[in-house]
Amino acid sequence: MEPGNDTLISEFLLLGFSEEPALQPLIFGLFLSMYLITVLGNLLIILAVSSDSHLHTPMYFFLSNLSLVDMCFPSTTVPKMLVNILTQSKSITYAGCITQMYFFILFAGLDDFLLAVMAYDRYVAICHPLHYIIIMNSRVCGLLFLMSWIMGALNSLLQSLIVLPLSFCTDLEIPHFFCELKEVVQLACSDTFLNNMVMYFITVLLAGGPLAGIIYSYSKIVSSIRAIPSAQGKYKAFSTCASHLSVVSLFYGTSIGVYLSSAATHSSHSSAAASVMYTVVTPMLNPFIYSLRNKDIKRALKRFFGMAGMKETIIRW
């Protein structure tokens, strides 16, 4: 592998969290457990929404899509890390690294956009309840969902494509458990000014934009809730937003926390450990937040498992 010649690059090395052999079984078991809980939890949310006709509303339509994204998000990184631990290998092919980077950015962006769309849905439901069905019709919901996917795909495609012209030297070790865009760009021997400018510009635009929309929506929601005369009405209105607000706080809180910790410590291994919060832990906790705080979801899950149990009994009989 000759320095500066990117055509000869065949693979990168993912250093992960620790090189201690004794810690590998613990790391494997921990991440396998979190991944299985994430997939199972989000799958149950999707099944509950799809199986109950009472949940075929815009709010639960976006929730089921958020669960699908949360199920796919860790699937871009965790399985490869688990395979590497099992095979005692740290390598990932150049093509595999670019592919992993593309899908990671795609699902991270979709999480961001869908949370903003769900905030808009709650804004319309609380601030314009009489026109909710008219405003949030199936056509508008479909367009919002489609636009989220288009913007997410274009963003990930652009950021992945501008990595391809980069030349890499002999140091191809990524101090992370997946191909994180910033870490890959830092390994390049060629000029990365354009990559850094595009990276920071898109981060401010596509992360700051949805966050600003969420803040604006909730400022209007708070104003509308304060105008409700009865305490019971205020509680009912706020309860429809509590789960979404918790998920937003968790997603942006962990993301900002990772950024601040990496900026403060300047340690790639510390950044890798902190990034677990928004790449694995947040998608795992989201189903619990929505199911534990939402009576409709709990009712749908009970009905779903009740129907499944009844079918099993009939089949046995």
Side-chain angles (χ1 to χ4, degrees):
M1 190 180 298
E2 298 176 5
N5 191 347
D6 61 321
T7 59
L8 297 180
I9 292 176
S10 59
E11 62 182 24
F12 290 96
L13 297 178
L14 298 174
L15 300 185
F17 300 101
S18 174
E19 297 183 10
E20 290 291 333
L23 292 177
Q24 299 309 307
L26 177 62
I27 295 172
F28 180 85
L30 180 62
F31 274 84
L32 178 61
S33 301
M34 289 193 295
Y35 180 65
L36 292 177
I37 292 172
T38 301
V39 172
L40 180 61
N42 285 290
L43 186 60
L44 286 176
I45 295 291
I46 296 172
L47 290 174
V49 173
S50 60
S51 63
D52 194 330
S53 59
H54 296 92
L55 301 184
H56 294 174
T57 62
M59 180 177 75
Y60 292 110
F61 168 74
F62 294 123
L63 173 59
S64 61
N65 282 285
L66 179 67
S67 295
L68 177 62
V69 171
D70 281 341
M71 191 165 57
C72 296
F73 191 20
S75 298
T76 62
T77 58
V78 177
K80 176 58 180 175
M81 185 190 70
L82 297 177
V83 169
N84 279 4
I85 293 176
L86 280 178
T87 58
Q88 298 182 351
S89 169
K90 298 178 181 178
S91 65
I92 181 171
T93 63
Y94 179 79
C97 187
I98 299 297
T99 303
Q100 186 183 69
M101 190 187 307
Y102 171 83
F103 284 105
F104 178 84
I105 298 172
L106 170 64
F107 292 121
L110 283 172
D111 246 342
D112 199 18
F113 295 135
L114 285 175
L115 288 175
V117 169
M118 293 172 75
Y120 174 72
D121 172 73
R122 292 299 84 204
Y123 158 74
V124 176
I126 293 175
C127 300
H128 304 283
L130 299 179
H131 300 93
Y132 177 73
I133 298 177
I134 299 174
I135 297 175
M136 297 300 295
N137 56 62
S138 57
R139 181 174 177 272
V140 170
C141 291
L143 284 175
L144 290 172
F145 172 70
L146 183 61
M147 286 302 298
S148 298
W149 272 94
I150 290 174
M151 289 189 293
L154 290 177
N155 168 42
S156 58
L157 182 63
L158 172 62
Q159 298 211 54
S160 301
L161 285 178
I162 61 174
V163 175
L164 296 179
L166 295 179
S167 298
F168 294 91
C169 300
T170 53
D171 183 16
L172 299 175
E173 295 182 343
I174 302 175
H176 222 297
F177 68 98
F178 66 95
C179 288
E180 203 265 336
L181 175 63
K182 184 180 177 182
E183 297 291 344
V184 173
V185 170
Q186 287 178 349
L187 294 179
C189 294
S190 55
D191 183 28
T192 59
F193 176 77
L194 176 62
N195 298 79
N196 290 323
M197 288 297 295
V198 170
M199 194 189 315
Y200 290 125
F201 175 76
I202 290 180
T203 299
V204 172
L205 181 65
L206 296 186
L211 179 59
I214 291 172
I215 294 173
Y216 176 79
S217 297
Y218 274 103
S219 66
K220 292 295 184 180
I221 289 172
V222 170
S223 299
S224 297
I225 290 177
R226 289 179 62 185
I228 298 175
S230 67
Q232 185 178 2
K234 290 181 179 179
Y235 175 78
K236 185 177 180 181
F238 179 76
S239 63
T240 63
C241 305
S243 297
H244 177 258
L245 192 57
S246 300
V247 170
V248 168
S249 302
L250 184 63
F251 179 78
Y252 282 101
T254 53
S255 301
I256 294 172
V258 168
Y259 175 78
L260 293 177
S261 66
S262 61
T265 61
H266 300 287
S267 171
S268 298
H269 284 288
S270 299
S271 176
S275 66
V276 175
M277 289 301 297
Y278 76 92
T279 57
V280 183
V281 176
T282 298
M284 179 183 69
L285 293 180
N286 286 354
F288 293 99
I289 294 173
Y290 274 106
S291 60
L292 293 176
R293 299 183 62 92
N294 192 305
K295 294 180 180 179
D296 293 333
I297 292 291
K298 288 192 286 188
R299 190 181 302 114
L301 286 173
K302 288 179 182 178
R303 188 178 295 114
F304 174 78
F305 283 113
M307 290 295 293
M310 187 181 299
K311 288 180 180 178
E312 185 178 353
T313 303
I314 292 173
I315 291 172
R316 287 181 178 179
W317 181 79

